[in-house]
Amino acid sequence: MPATPAWPPASTPRLFIDLPLGPDAAPVIDGPAAHYLLGVMRLKAGDPVLLFDSRTGEWLATVADAAKRSATLRIERQTRAIERVPDLWLCFAPVKKARLDWIIEKATELGVARLQPVITERTIVERVKSERIEAQIIEACEQCGRTALPELAPPVKLPQLLRDWPAERALLFADEAGGRPLADVAAPAPAAILTGPEGGFTGRERDLLLAHAAVRRIALGPRILRAETAAIAAVSLWMAQHGDWARPIDAG
């Protein structure tokens, strides 16, 4: 007997919908998302779409009606419940456009729970475009299969970040001047990683950080890393030690 084709197929497009989804929902897709589904993917009535809303999980839908610039979808069933990612924040100094995009994309793929821009004394990019970052987050979640968007916090200056820091959350300070390997630091969730700007932290900022009770100083190897490399390297190391990289994966 011929094998039954997988449903939905692996090529099924996946979209974030900022509306609660459920069995009775009938979302209407328009704008750029409709262009993507109808113009790029060439979907027609009956074709499948995977949707997630960052509230209830992921749902399989089919195209009920396809117009020129919009599509009405019919919810078929839930495919996955809302995920629970490890409670890790990435606190990072914003860097130039393309490198910032890379930090946002990769941190989202790696599973951070919260993205916190931090303005330091040497931060070159002080004006953070939240709409651009949110679009990067959504695109990364659509691609990597996340069912919940990471939280995007408003930018904050380093002294204020430390002043308001929750006492129960370890703050892993990636210090270019040296520190202990992350593997030697006991910092399970809730935790956060702090990486600096392209010029590094100033001496005054280092003193402020090292005087804080929640801060644990870590090193990221013997070489000088770019700001974006340091952020993603630190998140990867933490996920392998304390996060969901350390859990068995059921391939189904």
Side-chain angles (χ1 to χ4, degrees), residues 129-182:
K129 296 182 179 179
S130 297
E131 297 83 0
R132 178 182 174 82
I133 294 180
E134 287 167 356
Q136 288 290 117
I137 288 172
I138 290 170
E139 184 176 340
C141 286
E142 289 174 344
Q143 183 276 327
C144 75
R146 284 188 67 160
T147 60
L149 306 181
E151 178 187 357
L152 176 61
V156 63
K157 292 186 177 181
L158 180 61
Q160 181 183 345
L161 178 82
L162 296 177
R163 186 169 58 248
D164 299 335
W165 193 258
E168 73 281 0
R169 184 175 298 272
L171 178 56
L172 301 169
F173 164 38
D175 189 353
E176 62 269 22
R180 296 171 62 194
L182 184 54

Side-chain angles (χ1 to χ4, degrees), residues 85-174:
V85 296
D87 189 4
L88 177 68
W89 298 357
L90 175 61
C91 305
F92 61 95
V95 292
K96 294 175 183 176
K97 182 178 175 183
R99 293 175 182 173
L100 177 58
D101 290 349
W102 196 81
I103 289 175
I104 299 303
E105 178 183 88
K106 302 311 175 188
T108 300
E109 289 180 19
L110 291 171
V112 300
R114 176 182 169 116
L115 293 159
Q116 172 66 71
V118 181
I119 307 303
T120 68
E121 292 182 25
R122 291 177 177 160
T123 299
I124 297 173
V125 181
E126 292 196 16
R127 187 168 177 268
V128 179
K129 296 182 179 179
S130 297
E131 297 83 0
R132 178 182 174 82
I133 294 180
E134 287 167 356
Q136 288 290 117
I137 288 172
I138 290 170
E139 184 176 340
C141 286
E142 289 174 344
Q143 183 276 327
C144 75
R146 284 188 67 160
T147 60
L149 306 181
E151 178 187 357
L152 176 61
V156 63
K157 292 186 177 181
L158 180 61
Q160 181 183 345
L161 178 82
L162 296 177
R163 186 169 58 248
D164 299 335
W165 193 258
E168 73 281 0
R169 184 175 298 272
L171 178 56
L172 301 169
F173 164 38

